[in-house]
Each structure stands twice: as C-alpha cells, then as structure tokens.
C-alpha cells in the first residue's frame, strides 16, 4: 500500500540552500537520491502554498538554488507533472498548474464512486468470493478510540486518513481499482490535506471513520454506503472552502513571498 511520508521540514527554513556540488559534479553517493530530494522540496512548497498556482520556475534557477545539475531537477519536475502539479512549456520553463476546481470535483466524484462500491463489497458476505477482512480490526485499533487517544497532529492525521481509505479499497480485492485509487489519492492530496492543516475535521473524521467500520462489521451495506458518501461529500465541500480562502489569503498577504527560485509570480483570480 502506498503511503504519504510525513512532511519534511522545508528547505526554506534554513538560512542557506541545501549543500551540494556544482553543476554536473554531484557525488555518486547522492546522485541516486537527488531527484527525490528536489521533488520532495518542490512538492512540499506546492502543498504549503509557498508555490502558488501560476507561479513560473525554470530548471536553471532551481538547479542553481539547490546546487545540483539540471538532470535531477528535470526528473523531479517531470514527476510533479505526472502528479498533475506542474506543467512544462518551452526552454526548460515550468508552471505550477492553475487550480482547477472542476477537475477536483471530477476526482471527488470518482472517489465517491469507488469508495461507496468498496464498502458495499466489504459488507457483502459472498462465500464464493471471500474477502480477508483482518485489516478492518487494524483500522478499528486506530479509529475506534477515545478522544484522549486520537492523533491531533494535522500532517500525521492526514497520513492516517489516507491509509484508512486506501486500506478499505485494497481490502475489496480489486487490484486495478486499488491502483486507480492510489493515483486519484495523489491528485487530490494538495487540497485534501488542507482540511487537516487548516480545518476542524480531526474529531469528526474519527467519528465518521468509526461509524463506517461499525457498518462494515455489521454487514449493513446501505448504511455504510450512506455514511461513506456523506463523509466524502463533506470533505469535498470543506476543502473547497479552505482552498479558496487560503489562495486568496496567500495572494493578498504581502508577507507571503515566493521561494527564491520563482521567476514570475502570476496573479490570478479564483
């Protein structure tokens, strides 16, 4: 199962850019990890809205800032493009993908279709196609707990939330669906995690997850589908509101400065 690593400290929290060698002179001991290193830092800047939709960057400026060659930078940017977070244009230029709320709405619709199907499948006791539901007990140990035992750290709770939904999808036994759901999860992460960082969803998430698990344990398919659908719809509505607020605040606040490698900060309306 894929999981989201706990957010690393941003490179901008240090006084100097990360240590490295001149262009083309990376040591062999680090060369294998450089694309991952640059990818993780740029991705975190996007998730934390230091890089905003429409910001333009170049491979040359990023390479100079991180003190690496353009090759790992290009690999990192191509990976971000695959995540739907960056788009390339001419001569090594790249842009943070503008926020497309219609696209996120489509992704949430797909998520709801998959996950409501999954909980109905998990509630169905079909002797001809038995499922291994041992993972449900593991989820109960995480989510069916008193308030004092809940994870209140936003990034950690966001990771647990992703694992909850991915575990349920994988438990349904359809590998192609699970792989598609993993890709979908990657694409909505940029807005989904905002609910845990800036929203007020922690305790409600525990309660809603516990209720869904209770329905699965009882084999109540209709109630499980209803609760999962409401859970996803509520999350979608909340992240839309938070995302718009965060974007407007980031654009309007003079103290929100772009990272040093941003060539052009484009002011867009949302």
């Amino acid at each position: 199962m894929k999981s989201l690593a706990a957010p690393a400290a941003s490179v901008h929290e240090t006084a100097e850019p990360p240590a490295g060698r001149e262009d083309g002179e990376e040591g062999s001991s680090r060369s294998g990890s450089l694309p991952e290193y640059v990818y993780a830092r740029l991705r975190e800047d996007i998730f934390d809205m230091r890089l905003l939709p429409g910001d333009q960057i170049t491979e040359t400026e990023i390479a100079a800032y991180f003190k690496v060659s353009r090759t790992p930078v290009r690999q990192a940017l191509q990976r971000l493009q695959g995540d739907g977070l960056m788009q390339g244009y001419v001569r090594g230029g790249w842009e943070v993908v503008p926020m497309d709320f219609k696209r996120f709405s489509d992704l949430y619709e797909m998520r709801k279709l998959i996950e409501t199907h999954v909980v109905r499948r998990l509630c169905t006791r079909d002797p001809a196609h038995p499922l291994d539901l041992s993972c449900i007990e593991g989820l109960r140990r995480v989510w069916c707990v008193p308030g004092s035992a809940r994870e209140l750290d936003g990034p950690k709770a966001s990771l647990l939330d992703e694992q909850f939904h991915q575990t349920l999808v994988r438990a349904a036994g359809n590998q192609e669906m699970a792989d598609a759901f993993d890709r979908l999860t990657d694409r909505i992460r940029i807005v989904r995690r905002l609910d845990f960082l800036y929203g007020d969803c922690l305790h409600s998430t525990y309660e809603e997850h516990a209720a869904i698990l209770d329905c699965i344990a009882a084999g109540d398919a209709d109630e499980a589908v209803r609760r999962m659908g409401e859970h996803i719809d509520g999350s979608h509505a909340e992240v839309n509101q938070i995302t718009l607020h965060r974007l407007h605040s980031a654009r309007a606040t003079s103290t929100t400065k772009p990272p040093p490698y941003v060539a052009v900060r484009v002011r867009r309306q949302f």
Side-chain angles (χ1 to χ4, degrees), residues 10 13 19 23 34 71 76 87 100 106 131 173 179 181 188 196 208 211 218-219 228 245 252 258 268:
S10 170
E13 294 174 0
D23 189 55
L34 284 175
T71 298
Q87 57 190 17
D100 185 346
D106 291 347
L131 298 174
D179 291 344
F181 188 76
I188 65 173
F196 290 91
E208 291 167 15
M228 180 61 84
H245 174 74
R268 297 180 182 272

Side-chain angles (χ1 to χ4, degrees), residues 23 184 195:
D23 189 55
L184 185 155
D195 204 7

Side-chain angles (χ1 to χ4, degrees), residues 46-245:
I46 294 171
F47 282 171
D48 289 343
M49 292 191 176
R50 288 184 290 269
L51 274 175
L52 296 177
D55 280 352
Q56 298 174 8
I57 56 181
T58 68
E59 295 173 7
T60 300
E61 288 170 324
I62 297 172
Y65 180 74
F66 288 105
K67 296 185 179 178
V68 299
S69 73
R70 288 179 60 182
T71 298
V73 169
R74 187 177 303 113
Q75 291 172 345
L77 289 166
Q78 288 171 345
R79 186 174 170 189
L80 289 166
Q81 181 171 254
D83 292 343
L85 298 174
M86 299 291 303
Q87 57 190 17
Y89 49 99
V90 297
R91 299 179 182 177
W94 295 78
E95 181 184 48
V96 181
V97 171
M99 193 67 69
D100 185 346
F101 286 93
K102 173 61 167 63
R103 174 172 173 266
F104 284 119
S105 180
D106 291 347
L107 290 169
Y108 267 88
E109 182 180 6
M110 184 183 299
R111 178 189 171 192
K112 185 176 179 179
L113 287 171
I114 291 174
E115 294 202 65
T116 53
H117 169 78
V118 161
V119 293
R120 184 175 294 281
R121 176 80 175 91
L122 294 177
C123 288
T124 303
R125 309 294 191 255
D126 183 358
H129 301 91
L131 298 174
D132 180 5
L133 299 183
S134 59
C135 62
I136 302 300
E137 283 307 309
L139 292 177
R140 292 186 69 85
R141 288 192 291 271
V142 174
W143 296 101
C144 301
V145 295
S148 59
R150 294 173 178 176
E151 177 58 71
L152 301 182
D153 178 80
K156 292 179 181 178
S158 177
L159 169 61
L160 291 174
D161 177 65
E162 283 196 9
Q163 292 174 338
F164 171 84
H165 291 279
Q166 288 175 307
T167 298
L168 290 182
V169 173
R170 291 197 175 279
N174 185 320
Q175 186 61 47
E176 292 298 325
M177 184 182 294
D179 291 344
F181 188 76
D182 285 345
R183 292 191 294 271
L184 185 155
T185 298
D186 287 339
R187 282 159 174 73
I188 65 173
R189 184 174 292 131
I190 188 172
V191 293
R192 182 176 174 181
R193 70 176 293 189
L194 294 175
D195 204 7
F196 290 91
L197 296 177
Y198 305 107
D200 188 24
C201 74
L202 284 171
H203 290 293
S204 61
T205 297
Y206 270 88
E207 292 159 6
E208 291 167 15
H209 283 187
I212 291 167
L213 292 172
D214 286 342
C215 291
I216 294 173
D220 190 342
D222 290 341
E223 184 65 7
V225 168
R226 183 184 72 81
R227 287 185 176 273
M228 180 61 84
E230 290 180 352
H231 177 64
I232 294 170
D233 287 342
S235 173
H236 183 201
E238 184 67 16
V239 298
N240 269 354
Q241 181 178 359
I242 293 171
T243 301
L244 281 170
H245 174 74

